[in-house]
């Protein structure tokens, strides 16, 4: 089916999201929510289409920055596992989506490959844009390596091969916008036009802190295999630094952490129950210890730590923008993490000015939204 509409309202955009982006409490939806907020501030009317499983409430904060929000229940039919299309894509289609998009002529912005199932049902005669959140075949390969449970490991393995074929269809989009320099280089041969725009994150300014904090902090969603592996790695590191405290903070995962730290008085688990609580933890941390076993761009937890805390000790998988790298301390293995932490734990933090200058230029939501608008407004069907 091909649909053609007559008049395109000025500064109007359909966004199809893999999830309801509010609350903005995990990586992907943080980018979606603050992108919408930034576009709204620049005068855009957003018709937002969300595929959901549990997040069934449209919060006033989301209503305030959108023209309309449509929620569609994901279809998790197990028979979709037999399809050659990745399960994450196949489960995100609803017949009302086509009708609702057809009602308002405007470009269509897809958030992640998971949101693109519509294109298997209809050719769209308006400009189409894709925000590539990951190279999914590589992302699921990383999940596969980090996952210990047999069934999940098998399901991740299935998705690797399906996405390896599926992600080569990027030429159907007028523009692909990546959030990673590394991924931008990889997909150049798969797409007509590719641009790098960093992740949207909602931080307006670098928080000015005193020179000393009180502990080292690791925060992350411990439902994810990569984050669980990172937490386990850091527990081993801090076994060798018994005179310095590590706080592991997450909204879940106590059952993983508690048995590993029961005889380690310098390591505590802190359940995150609100954004304000996480901000207090960041404000009081002297060191942020962050690592990943997957290379997929600059991680949001690092961005929040740079804006809201002090020293950041990371491995190089946490960032791929060379302008941000000098703001961090790099360690690549257990011995180097131990050495860096011992070096910095009593050292005053005095890098606010340099950090402010770099982040205001590179990770400025308003400036990056203006770049996005330039892409939208220069692209014709």
């Amino acid at each position: 089916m091909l649909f053609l509409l007559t008049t395109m309202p000025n500064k109007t955009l359909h966004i199809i999201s893999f999830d309801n982006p509010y609350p903005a409490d995990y990586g992907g939806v943080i980018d979606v929510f603050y992108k919408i907020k930034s576009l709204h501030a620049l005068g855009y009317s957003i018709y937002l289409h969300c595929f959901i499983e549990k997040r069934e409430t449209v919060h006033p904060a989301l209503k305030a920055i959108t023209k309309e929000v449509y929620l569609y229940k994901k279809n998790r039919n197990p028979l979709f596992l037999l399809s050659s299309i990745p399960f994450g894509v196949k489960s995100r289609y609803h017949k009302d989506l086509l009708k609702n998009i057809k009602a308002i002529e405007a470009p269509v912005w897809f958030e992640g490959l998971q949101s693109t199932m519509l294109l298997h049902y209809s050719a769209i005669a308006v400009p189409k844009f894709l925000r590539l959140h990951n190279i999914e075949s590589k992302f699921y390969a990383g999940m596969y390596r980090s996952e210990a449970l047999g069934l999940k490991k098998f399901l991740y393995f299935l998705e690797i091969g399906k996405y390896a074929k599926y992600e080569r269809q990027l030429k159907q989009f007028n523009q692909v916008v990546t959030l990673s320099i590394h991924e931008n280089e990889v997909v150049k041969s798969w797409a007509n036009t590719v641009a790098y725009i960093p992740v949207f994150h909602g931080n307006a300014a670098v928080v000015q802190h005193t020179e000393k904090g009180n502990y080292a902090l690791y925060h992350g969603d411990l439902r994810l295999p990569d984050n669980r592996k990172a937490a386990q790695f850091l527990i081993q590191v801090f076994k060798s630094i018994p005179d310095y405290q590590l706080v592991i903070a997450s909204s879940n995962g106590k059952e993983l952490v508690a048995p590993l730290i029961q005889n380690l008085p310098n390591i505590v688990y802190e359940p995150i129950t609100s954004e304000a609580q996480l901000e207090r933890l960041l404000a009081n941390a002297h060191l942020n210890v962050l690592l990943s076993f997957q290379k997929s761009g600059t991680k949001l937890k690092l961005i929040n730590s740079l804006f809201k805390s002090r020293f950041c000790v990371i491995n190089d998988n946490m960032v791929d923008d060379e302008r941000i790298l000098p703001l961090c301390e790099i360690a690549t293995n257990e011995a180097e993490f131990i050495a860096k932490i011992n070096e910095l734990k009593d050292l005053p933090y005095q890098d606010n000015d340099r950090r402010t200058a770099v982040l205001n230029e590179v990770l400025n939501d308003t400036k990056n939204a203006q770049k996005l608008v330039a892409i939208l407004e220069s692209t014709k069907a």
Side-chain angles (χ1 to χ4, degrees):
M1 182 191 301
L2 175 69
F3 65 79
L4 290 162
L5 297 166
T6 51
T7 359
M8 184 179 295
N10 188 34
K11 287 195 170 183
T12 302
L13 184 66
H14 290 288
I15 294 181
I16 305 176
S17 177
F18 51 86
D19 201 352
N20 180 346
Y22 198 91
D25 56 2
Y26 72 89
V29 297
I30 291 172
D31 180 64
V32 177
F33 177 77
Y34 288 108
K35 186 187 304 112
I36 293 170
K37 189 173 182 178
S38 299
L39 287 172
H40 173 76
L42 294 175
Y44 265 76
S45 296
I46 306 293
Y47 290 83
L48 177 63
H49 308 262
C50 308
F51 284 92
I52 61 165
E53 192 165 350
K54 295 179 180 177
R55 299 158 70 99
E56 298 179 353
T57 301
V58 180
H59 192 275
L62 189 57
K63 290 180 181 179
I65 57 175
T66 54
K67 194 77 173 174
E68 191 72 57
V69 180
Y70 305 91
L71 301 181
Y72 313 96
K73 199 77 172 175
K74 283 196 294 185
N75 182 356
R76 299 182 64 81
N77 185 337
L79 293 177
F80 290 168
L81 292 170
L82 303 177
S83 172
S84 61
I85 296 172
F87 185 83
V89 179
K90 189 79 172 173
S91 60
R92 288 176 171 89
Y93 180 75
H94 192 285
K95 58 182 177 61
D96 290 343
L97 174 62
L98 181 60
K99 178 186 70 175
N100 292 333
I101 284 184
K102 189 175 179 180
I104 304 291
E105 184 193 7
V108 181
W109 179 279
F110 295 86
E111 287 288 346
L113 278 171
Q114 298 96 323
S115 69
T116 60
M117 192 65 196
L118 170 68
L119 299 177
H120 291 268
Y121 289 89
S122 174
I124 300 177
V126 294
K128 301 181 291 295
F129 304 87
L130 173 68
R131 173 60 144 178
L132 193 70
H133 283 257
N134 292 294
I135 297 178
E136 298 294 345
S137 58
K138 293 183 181 295
F139 174 77
Y140 277 97
M143 297 280 276
Y144 171 79
R145 288 192 298 270
S146 297
E147 182 57 62
L149 298 176
L151 179 58
K152 280 189 178 181
K153 199 172 183 72
F154 175 68
L155 294 176
Y156 291 150
F157 178 76
L158 291 180
E159 293 288 90
I160 295 169
K162 292 177 183 181
Y163 271 116
K165 295 178 181 177
Y166 192 82
E167 60 200 3
R168 299 304 178 101
Q169 304 176 49
L170 299 187
K171 289 189 183 298
Q172 65 187 303
F173 299 98
N174 295 73
Q175 179 93 37
V176 175
V177 181
T178 67
L179 45 70
S180 156
I181 291 174
H182 165 72
E183 292 173 358
N184 198 72
E185 293 302 311
V186 170
V187 303
K188 276 182 176 177
S189 62
W190 306 351
N192 293 315
T193 313
V194 184
Y196 163 63
I197 295 180
V199 65
F200 290 82
H201 50 82
N203 294 290
V206 174
V207 178
Q208 301 298 304
H209 288 298
T210 59
E211 293 183 348
K212 289 300 294 291
N214 302 319
Y215 47 75
L217 174 67
Y218 173 79
H219 73 280
D221 183 350
L222 293 180
R223 290 172 298 185
L224 299 178
D226 187 55
N227 290 344
R228 292 199 297 270
K229 193 172 177 181
Q232 291 166 333
F233 174 91
L234 290 169
I235 289 168
Q236 288 300 120
V237 166
F238 277 82
K239 281 183 179 179
S240 299
I241 316 173
D243 63 334
Y244 202 69
Q245 184 178 49
L246 169 66
V247 176
I248 297 174
S250 182
S251 57
N252 47 69
K254 184 177 181 180
E255 69 286 348
L256 167 76
V257 174
L260 300 176
I261 65 173
Q262 59 184 350
N263 296 317
L264 300 170
N266 66 315
I267 306 177
V268 298
Y269 172 81
E270 175 108 11
I272 298 174
T273 56
S274 68
E275 184 66 25
Q277 180 197 9
L278 177 57
E279 292 197 4
R280 285 194 298 271
L281 287 168
L282 288 164
N284 291 318
H286 191 62
L287 306 174
N288 295 269
V289 283
L290 299 165
L291 72 153
S292 174
F293 297 91
Q294 296 177 228
K295 191 173 185 64
S296 58
T298 302
K299 308 292 193 295
L300 269 161
K301 62 170 72 74
L302 172 60
I303 291 171
N304 281 330
S305 300
L306 288 170
F307 272 94
K308 296 175 179 177
S309 196
R310 297 178 182 81
F311 289 110
C312 293
V313 183
I314 67 169
N315 73 347
D316 57 10
N317 284 344
M318 292 297 299
V319 59
D320 75 343
D321 191 320
E322 291 186 359
R323 296 168 293 178
I324 299 172
L325 202 60
L327 303 179
C328 307
E329 301 285 340
I330 308 300
T332 59
N333 55 44
E334 187 175 319
E336 290 181 7
F337 267 91
I338 292 168
K340 274 292 178 188
I341 293 161
N342 280 322
E343 174 191 338
L344 297 171
K345 64 184 182 181
D346 296 315
L347 191 69
Y349 172 74
Q350 298 174 326
D351 204 24
N352 277 322
D353 291 344
R354 180 175 68 146
R355 187 177 286 189
T356 296
V358 172
L359 297 183
N360 281 351
E361 182 59 34
V362 179
L363 292 175
N364 184 307
D365 278 359
T366 299
K367 289 181 180 179
N368 287 328
Q370 289 166 344
K371 294 176 185 177
L372 194 154
V373 166
I375 289 170
L376 292 171
E377 296 184 354
S378 67
T379 305
K380 306 299 180 185

